[in-house]
Every structure is written in structure tokens, then in C-alpha cells.
Amino acid sequence: MYMGQYKYNIDEKGRLVVPLDFRKKLGTEVIVNKGIEDCITIYSTTDWQNIVDQISTLSFNRSENRSFNRYFMSSAFEKEIDSQGRINLDSILIEYANIKKECVIIGAGNVIEIWSKERWTEIEAGRDKLDEISERLSL
């Protein structure tokens, strides 16, 4: 499980340091993808395989399933964490998440999310809804 939040900068070559706590759990091979929202996601290869297994059970004759598969899988990249703890993010991902330089890396259970600093500030501003949301959850 990944949790916590860290502030880092993406360098001019698109490299980003992955927090040590996350690297310990990830290993050196990861899958990086466009998130469902305006973020970049990082998965361990095991967690990624679990998602792919679930997607493969979707009925291919439904257009929304094909669309989801197409959009989700086409923006995924296999990456290796280098000896300095960095991954190289493709420009398509950086542009998608609208990251200029500063970003926030958060742990969100079985996935790591990378947000632009500005977008994360917007999300955090909605934190006051947590009480309302928690009322509707069955935990």
C-alpha cells in the first residue's frame, strides 16, 4: 500500500525522483500511465497485471469496454527506476497532467499518483467534502 504525499520537481529531461518509501515497494520495473483524472499513475508490475487481468474479462463486444481498453492501455509505458531513484516520464504524460516543473506525488492505496502542484492544490481545497463523502461509504 502506498500512502503519503511528497513534493518534487521534474527536471528538463522529464526525470522524476520516486520517493524512497515507494521505491522499496515498487521494485525497479514499473508501469506509468495516464490516470483516470488529470494525473500520471505508477503501478508495480504485479498491480498492473491484476488490472490487465480484470480488463481482459470485460466483454469485447461492448463499445465502451473497447474504448476503455483502448484509452487506458495505449497510454501505458514500461519504465525502469534508475540507480538514482528516478523514472523518465514521456512528454505525452507530462503534458496530459499539465506539469510544468513542480509536482506532488501521492500514495493512493495500490497506485501512486503524480499531480501538477496547481491541480493538487485544487483537489486539496475540496477536502472539506471528506465528511460528506464518508457518510455515503460503507466502511
Side-chain angles (χ1 to χ4, degrees), residues 8-20:
Y8 284 93
N9 292 328
I10 293 179
D11 72 15
E12 63 282 345
K13 294 181 180 178
R15 295 176 301 197
L16 176 68
V17 173
V18 177
L20 180 60

Side-chain angles (χ1 to χ4, degrees), residues 9-134:
N9 292 328
I10 293 179
D11 72 15
E12 63 282 345
K13 294 181 180 178
R15 295 176 301 197
L16 176 68
V17 173
V18 177
L20 180 60
D21 289 345
F22 294 166
R23 288 195 315 258
K24 289 178 183 177
K25 297 171 186 156
L26 282 170
T28 58
E29 301 288 326
V30 297
I31 306 299
V32 182
N33 198 0
K34 289 180 181 178
I36 302 295
E37 296 165 302
D38 300 328
C39 69
I40 300 168
T41 53
I42 302 175
Y43 298 90
S44 71
T45 54
T46 302
D47 287 332
W48 180 256
Q49 188 59 53
N50 290 337
I51 290 170
V52 170
D53 290 346
Q54 290 176 30
I55 291 171
S56 69
T57 65
L58 298 174
S59 176
F60 76 91
N61 63 336
R62 294 189 61 200
S63 67
E64 68 182 9
N65 292 347
R66 290 191 309 275
S67 292
F68 178 83
N69 185 52
R70 186 176 303 123
Y71 294 135
F72 191 72
M73 299 298 288
S74 67
S75 60
F77 299 90
E78 290 182 69
K79 294 292 176 179
E80 188 171 318
I81 298 176
D82 70 15
S83 61
Q84 295 180 344
R86 302 173 303 187
I87 55 172
N88 190 23
L89 299 173
D90 292 86
S91 60
I92 191 170
L93 298 175
I94 294 169
E95 290 168 14
Y96 169 77
N98 200 29
I99 298 172
K100 304 302 180 215
K101 183 174 183 173
E102 296 178 285
C103 62
V104 179
I105 305 170
I106 69 160
N110 68 341
V111 65
I112 297 164
E113 297 177 342
I114 305 167
W115 295 87
S116 72
K117 179 185 170 196
E118 296 78 17
R119 182 70 174 107
W120 183 250
T121 299
E122 292 172 12
I123 291 168
E124 283 281 87
R127 190 172 181 81
D128 60 340
K129 297 176 186 171
L130 186 60
D131 289 343
E132 179 185 322
I133 294 168
S134 68

